[in-house]
Amino acid sequence: MIVDTGWHKRFRGQGYRLTIPREAILHVLSNTEEHLSAEDIYMVVHQKYPAIGLTTVYRTLDILVQMGVVFKFDFGDGRSRYELTEHFSRKKHHHHLICTMCSRIIDYTDFIDDELELLDRTKKTLSKKHNFQITGHMMQFYGLCEKCKT
Amino acid sequence: MIVDTGWHKRFRGQGYRLTIPREAILHVLSNTEEHLSAEDIYMVVHQKYPAIGLTTVYRTLDILVQMGVVFKFDFGDGRSRYELTEHFSRKKHHHHLICTMCSRIIDYTDFIDDELELLDRTKKTLSKKHNFQITGHMMQFYGLCEKCKT
DNA sequence: ATTATTATTGATAATGGTTATCAATATTAT
DNA sequence: ATAATATTGATAACCATTATCAATAATAAT
């Protein structure tokens, strides 16, 4: 039994169905502060619904990315990470600081207004200049965290 | 026989040796305008030196990344791309516009000065605030290119 | 030079995250 | 109900990247 939270309509609008696995995955993404990989999500979901398989997690994430609900990140450690996009998350717009040694990730929001202003300006110019329809951006810093600096 | 171009010293300084495969790989990276994957590089190198294997290409790229000579990018199509870092490239500092449909990549330099100023400011603040030693950054836009917009 | 030490190499196999396959099942439309 | 369609999970396949390891090359020591 599925409670219609608006997600139902959103899925139907794209020709998809809102199923229990999909709802469970959305629930995990909505209630985390972390940067989860597909397997991370699988493990959480699996506790409550042992029947849900890893394949379904991957498939659902693909759909959510395609729907613009989720953004797929690569932090360079060989697995993708998934976060709800700004519009669907309670987290504020932020970027990432990534430790290349231990893969620790810190969210930051410093200068975020300046950033957004610049990103917006750049986005406008680039769309026109290259006839590109820009759907997202990514910005991150790499380095060594406190612990890994030695 | 290896011509000492400064690379030799640079390698020795880190305990490495400048060999023919390494020189060949550097040569490819120095003479391309594209965003080559390990296999792309392998194929070019292989034409002149059929003995050089793919493993060596990967290994060399790792070393170059670790030396700060090369930056490793992920454009979301399942393979990494490698570019000489600003200091070693004749290309100007730039960022990327990536088509999520066909993986076409466009370099852009619009507002690059504003960007650099902001990046620098952010970098300074973040290093202090989180005691992070920042070594690099990445910024890119995603979207649909002219051809893929339909 | 000759030899000892150390770094590098390439072929091959292994790894591991992600995808394709496909028959079974659940959902929606008729 | 029944037909049409979407979703599922188990399994196998895929494929970029890494680990292994004996052979070879480059450097240092004698």
Side-chain angles (χ1 to χ4, degrees), chain A residues 132, chain B residues 75 77 81 97-106 143-149:
Chain A
F132 226 89
Chain B
F75 294 154
D77 64 343
R81 313 285 178 142
L97 194 53
I98 301 154
C99 179
T100 52
M101 198 88 187
C102 70
S103 293
R104 187 154 79 103
I105 296 153
I106 295 176
L144 297 174
C145 77
E146 203 167 10
K147 291 175 191 164
C148 298
K149 280 168 80 176

Side-chain angles (χ1 to χ4, degrees), chain A residues 141, chain B residues 118-128 134 137:
Chain A
F141 284 95
Chain B
L118 175 59
L119 286 170
D120 202 56
R121 196 148 40 101
T122 310
K123 198 190 282 194
K124 282 204 182 93
T125 302
L126 292 180
S127 322
K128 264 193 198 153
I134 294 180
H137 71 266

Side-chain angles (χ1 to χ4, degrees), chain B residues 2-41:
Chain B
I2 288 164
V3 182
D4 192 324
T5 55
W7 285 118
H8 196 268
K9 281 180 208 150
R10 190 173 292 275
F11 274 83
R12 296 317 307 273
Q14 310 249 354
Y16 296 120
R17 294 171 184 171
L18 178 56
T19 61
I20 289 169
R22 288 175 184 174
E23 208 178 20
I25 290 163
L26 274 170
H27 187 259
V28 171
L29 286 169
S30 303
N31 289 87
T32 184
E33 290 293 312
E34 297 181 71
H35 310 82
L36 302 178
S37 66
E39 189 155 10
D40 292 336
I41 296 168

Side-chain angles (χ1 to χ4, degrees), chain B residues 4-5 16 29 32 41 43 54 56 63 66-68 81 86 90 99 112-113 130-131 149:
Chain B
D4 192 324
T5 55
Y16 296 120
L29 286 169
T32 184
I41 296 168
M43 287 189 302
L54 182 55
T56 298
I63 290 171
Q66 188 257 306
M67 283 169 70
R81 313 285 178 142
E86 194 177 354
R90 56 177 123 162
C99 179
I112 209 76
D113 291 336
H130 299 106
N131 196 16
K149 280 168 80 176

Side-chain angles (χ1 to χ4, degrees), chain A residues 71 123 133-138, chain B residues 97-98 100 140-143:
Chain A
F71 197 90
K123 199 190 283 194
Q133 178 187 331
I134 294 180
T135 55
H137 69 266
M138 170 162 194
Chain B
L97 194 53
I98 301 154
T100 52
Q140 46 202 26
F141 284 95
Y142 298 97

Side-chain angles (χ1 to χ4, degrees), chain B residues 4 34 51 62 65 71 78 80 82 113 143:
Chain B
D4 192 324
E34 297 181 71
D62 280 350
V65 167
F71 197 91
S80 297
Y82 302 84
D113 291 336

